[in-house]
Amino acid sequence: MVDQIVLCMCSWATWLDIAMVITLCALLMMGFPAAFTLAGVALVFGLFGLAVGAFDPAFIADPFPIRIFGIVNNQVLLAVPMFILMGVILERSRIAEDLLDTMARLFGGMRGGLGLSVMVVGALLAASTGIVGATVVTMGLLSLPTMLKRGYDPGLAAGSIAAAGTLGQIIPPSIVLILLGDVISNAYQEAQLNQGIFAPETVSVGDLFAGALIPGLVLVGLYMTYLAGMALFRGRTSPAVPLEERFEFNEAIRAAWRTLPAPLLLIVAVLGSILAGKATATEAASVGAIGALLIAGSRSAVATGWPKRLSQLGLAAIIALIVLDGSVDLRLGRAAMTTTEHIGVSIALVLCLLLLCGVLAAIYSLARRHMFRPVLAKTTEVTGMVFTILICAALFSLVFRGLGGDETIAGALAATPGGKIGALVVVMVVMFVLGFFLDFIEITLVAVPLVAPALLTLGIDPIWLGVMMAVNLQTSFLTPPFGFALFYLRGVAPPELRTAQIYRGAIPFVGIQIGMLILLSLWPDLATWLPDQLYGDS
């Protein structure tokens, strides 16, 4: 009898890796916390595998502490809390509200103008914050009541806001792209080592940012084309703003000058420094966080008097430092420096002192308005969640591989009809479905590391794969009835807006997203051309 039980347990041991994934998905869909579910499932299946002789504890005894140290010490992942801080500051300082109001008054005079304004601001916020939930909620609270009041079709209004909010998934700098960049980089190196390449090439977050930029802008263009078409052929769905609520031309120019330069400069400073190779994602993220802080401190709604003026001087110092760095070699510790370089370094030190004073003034202003503590609390909360999931996902991954899961996935994908294209389609469909139930962090940190090495071993370009996954997740988060963006919007939508209307409005944008995936499939150069031009072959 005992022998039969042992034999039965050993036969089950070959399915432990599959059962582990199924159990994890079931528990996550039931609403259990992602991080502790990952760790709990890993420990339970690891102990069971150990009991039946299917798991070697050496898979976690030494590698797991090293993994934890690697996560905490990872320079790329340091960008995550910085970009989160940047997004939270911009959200709490009501910059998005001013942008929406200005753009709506500028373009509201033509049919479809409000919808186009929402899309432009959504793209700006995506490039400034990279946080989908915050963008959808902010734009839903500010724009949706106005669009409904002005006679917009409820479905079109809801769909355009949800679609604009999801642009934070694909337009860099994006938290999704940062996490995907780190995961894809590790998977690409692992795939090359499996192929016997012991000097593997690397993929950076900057590569993925560059790869996602053109598809993101194309997607914005497709969204705006659809909105313009609706305004042209079905004008009743998107009427113009009444004449008395529009800006005069001079007033419009002044309003645009007050609101647009700050976020545009922030985008140029962050994204431009990465794409130009002047800064890593982490360094650019710190510039973005400081820039957002200074922009908030420069606003009349946040600061007045000397704190406001110091914050404005800090902003000017950042711009001057960027210009100075592009024209003079500011590296210290060199044996020989020209007179011009000595002067440049001296000026840079003065500008750094001004920048420090501006940051302290902005912090003082935010603290006096009782905004600084909530900003730090929200940033800490989201950052803690991300890194806890990272550590628990590392434990899950090690146990899964110890149970033979990586061989199972590689074998299944290799046996998929259609070769690497068939394998890619299967993975994309699975990720799309997972996006209905799991957050992008969970999918990126749990599902992608399991399948990416096998896909990259088949010869798929890593940058193209990362961009395809990001667009796929964005599509999933917009698709009824489970799309996360729709849930966020439903939570802040007026009661008179029915859920069915939100779903109906989102469907055309889902079609555009699917069209974008098809375009990327047919023309991979959309994702790979810019990285090749900027950095050479990746």
Side-chain angles (χ1 to χ4, degrees):
M1 182 67 177
V2 174
D3 292 341
Q4 291 177 343
I5 294 175
V6 172
L7 183 63
C8 181
M9 292 176 68
C10 290
S11 64
W12 270 99
T14 59
W15 295 88
L16 279 178
D17 51 353
I18 299 174
M20 186 178 178
V21 174
I22 293 173
T23 303
L24 174 69
C25 291
L27 292 174
L28 290 176
M29 290 175 190
M30 291 168 64
F32 287 93
F36 303 111
T37 302
L38 282 164
V41 169
L43 290 173
V44 168
F45 276 84
L47 290 173
F48 187 72
L50 188 62
V52 299
F55 180 73
D56 185 349
F59 272 94
I60 59 174
D62 294 326
F64 187 52
I66 296 172
R67 284 282 188 97
I68 294 176
F69 179 78
I71 290 169
V72 176
N73 200 44
N74 191 323
Q75 296 295 313
V76 173
L77 295 179
L78 283 177
V80 172
M82 295 295 180
F83 278 128
I84 292 171
L85 177 62
M86 183 176 77
V88 175
I89 290 173
L90 292 176
E91 176 195 353
R92 297 296 175 96
S93 59
R94 302 178 66 183
I95 291 174
E97 183 175 345
D98 283 356
L99 274 173
L100 280 168
D101 182 65
T102 300
M103 297 299 293
R105 295 197 178 206
L106 281 173
F107 296 105
M110 59 182 182
R111 285 189 302 182
L114 275 178
L116 293 174
S117 300
V118 164
M119 206 57 65
V120 170
V121 174
L124 289 174
L125 291 180
S128 303
T129 67
I131 303 175
V132 172
T135 305
V136 173
V137 169
T138 300
M139 297 181 67
L141 287 170
L142 300 177
S143 298
L144 190 54
T146 302
M147 296 177 80
L148 296 177
K149 181 182 176 182
R150 298 290 176 260
Y152 265 68
D153 177 79
L156 180 65
S160 59
I161 289 173
T166 61
L167 289 171
Q169 294 280 100
I170 185 66
I171 295 182
S174 160
I175 305 300
V176 179
L177 294 176
I178 293 172
L179 297 176
L180 260 178
D182 185 62
V183 171
I184 291 290
S185 176
N186 294 333
Y188 189 43
Q189 292 185 53
E190 181 182 336
Q192 292 176 91
L193 291 173
N194 292 339
Q195 294 173 306
I197 302 172
F198 297 107
E201 298 177 359
T202 59
V203 175
S204 68
V205 173
D207 291 324
L208 210 54
F209 277 11
L213 185 59
I214 292 178
L217 295 177
V218 170
L219 196 56
V220 173
L222 292 175
Y223 282 168
M224 296 182 73
T225 301
Y226 168 72
L227 291 174
M230 290 293 290
L232 182 63
F233 297 108
R234 297 185 60 190
R236 293 192 306 272
T237 63
S238 46
V241 171
L243 185 63
E244 62 272 11
E245 296 185 20
R246 304 175 195 172
F247 277 172
E248 295 292 337
F249 179 76
N250 291 336
E251 188 181 359
I253 295 299
R254 287 196 299 270
W257 177 252
R258 285 195 305 269
T259 56
L260 287 176
L264 287 175
L265 281 173
L266 191 64
I267 293 168
V268 170
V270 173
L271 193 54
S273 60
I274 295 174
L275 298 182
K278 291 288 185 181
T280 64
T282 305
E283 293 163 346
S286 63
V287 172
I290 292 173
L293 189 62
L294 293 170
I295 289 172
S298 302
R299 290 171 52 79
S300 300
V302 175
T304 56
W306 65 266
K308 179 179 178 180
R309 288 192 292 272
L310 274 180
S311 297
Q312 291 171 340
L313 281 174
L315 272 177
I318 284 185
I319 298 170
L321 280 169
I322 292 173
V323 173
L324 188 62
D325 180 60
S327 54
V328 180
D329 189 346
L330 300 177
R331 291 176 299 165
L332 300 175
R334 289 174 292 146
M337 294 176 62
T338 65
T339 303
T340 303
E341 289 170 346
H342 276 293
I343 295 173
V345 169
S346 301
I347 295 173
L349 290 174
V350 174
L351 291 173
C352 287
L353 181 60
L354 281 177
L355 178 57
L356 176 61
C357 294
V359 169
L360 293 175
I363 291 173
Y364 169 77
S365 300
L366 289 171
R368 195 174 62 172
R369 296 277 181 172
H370 305 290
M371 296 170 62
F372 191 59
R373 189 167 183 171
V375 164
L376 292 182
K378 183 65 175 178
T379 302
T380 304
E381 176 187 341
V382 177
T383 303
M385 176 193 69
V386 171
F387 277 84
T388 304
I389 293 176
L390 270 167
I391 292 170
C392 294
L395 177 61
F396 182 90
S397 175
L398 290 170
V399 174
F400 181 76
R401 291 179 178 180
L403 294 173
D406 49 352
E407 290 91 351
T408 301
I409 289 177
L413 292 178
T416 303
K420 67 179 182 181
I421 300 300
L424 180 63
V425 169
V426 169
V427 169
M428 286 296 178
V429 170
V430 171
M431 286 184 64
F432 181 82
V433 175
L434 287 177
F436 290 158
F437 308 104
L438 305 181
D439 190 70
F440 72 87
I441 296 174
E442 297 156 13
I443 296 173
T444 303
L445 301 181
V446 179
V448 176
L450 300 182
V451 298
L455 288 175
L456 295 173
T457 302
L458 295 175
I460 294 175
D461 185 275
I463 297 174
W464 179 73
L465 177 63
V467 174
M468 286 285 288
M469 286 180 168
V471 176
N472 187 30
L473 286 176
Q474 182 187 1
T475 307
S476 179
F477 292 166
L478 191 59
T479 302
F482 301 112
F484 274 78
L486 307 182
F487 289 155
Y488 291 135
L489 186 60
R490 176 68 276 176
V492 297
E496 61 268 21
L497 182 65
R498 299 193 306 274
T499 302
Q501 292 174 314
I502 296 177
Y503 290 170
R504 174 174 58 83
I507 288 174
F509 293 97
V510 173
I512 293 173
Q513 289 277 154
I514 294 173
M516 188 70 235
L517 282 170
I518 294 172
L519 283 176
L520 277 169
S521 302
L522 296 176
W523 292 288
D525 284 352
L526 284 172
T528 59
W529 177 81
L530 186 58
D532 285 347
Q533 295 300 311
L534 293 175
Y535 311 118
D537 294 334
S538 56

